[in-house]
Amino acid sequence: QVQLVESGGGLVQAGASLRLSCAASGRTFSSYAMGWFRQAPGKEREFVAAISWSGGNTYYADSVKGRFTISRDNAKNTFYLQMNSLKPEDTAVYYCAADPSTSVYYAEYAYWGQGTQVTVSS
């Protein structure tokens, strides 16, 4: 089992930055790939970014490429999503997820956090 807890969400204006954190506990964190997904009201959960267990490979949705950066600190059992140049369309509940395999598909992730709200005003 892996337990995940997100933090760092909030209300910001367009153009601002936020950093989301996801703290993991349970099984060996460093052996898991991690992903960030988001879900806006009335929309399906969508892929945002993913990082391999080693941190050597990262993947991004086209909508966030160049603005968001995913990273991990295996010594702290934590991974991050740095979000810059935020837009109103980034407003959503953001979820972190973990799985032994790296994937961009939410259905393939075994463990999920509870979500943190990000609201970007125009």
Side-chain angles (χ1 to χ4, degrees):
Q1 282 281 4
V2 175
Q3 292 80 41
L4 303 172
V5 179
E6 301 100 334
S7 61
L11 171 63
V12 297
Q13 291 190 328
S17 297
L18 278 176
R19 189 177 78 157
L20 304 184
S21 299
C22 180
S25 60
R27 291 189 174 180
T28 306
F29 171 76
S30 60
S31 65
Y32 281 75
M34 310 296 290
W36 286 99
F37 293 79
R38 65 187 182 187
Q39 188 165 18
K43 294 188 177 182
E44 291 190 355
R45 192 167 298 191
E46 66 173 1
F47 169 73
V48 176
I51 188 167
S52 61
W53 66 270
S54 67
N57 294 295
T58 57
Y59 308 86
Y60 296 94
D62 287 343
S63 59
V64 307
K65 203 171 293 183
R67 299 188 297 123
F68 291 12
T69 302
I70 190 171
S71 62
R72 65 190 298 159
D73 186 339
N74 286 344
K76 295 182 177 179
N77 282 4
T78 303
F79 79 115
Y80 307 95
L81 185 68
Q82 177 67 43
M83 305 186 295
N84 299 329
S85 303
L86 282 162
K87 304 175 181 180
E89 51 263 44
D90 294 318
T91 296
V93 177
Y94 283 71
Y95 298 90
C96 63
D99 194 81
S101 300
T102 311
S103 176
V104 302
Y105 301 106
Y106 71 83
E108 296 182 1
Y109 281 81
Y111 304 103
W112 290 86
Q114 82 288 351
T116 185
Q117 177 70 47
V118 172
T119 303
V120 184
S121 63
S122 58

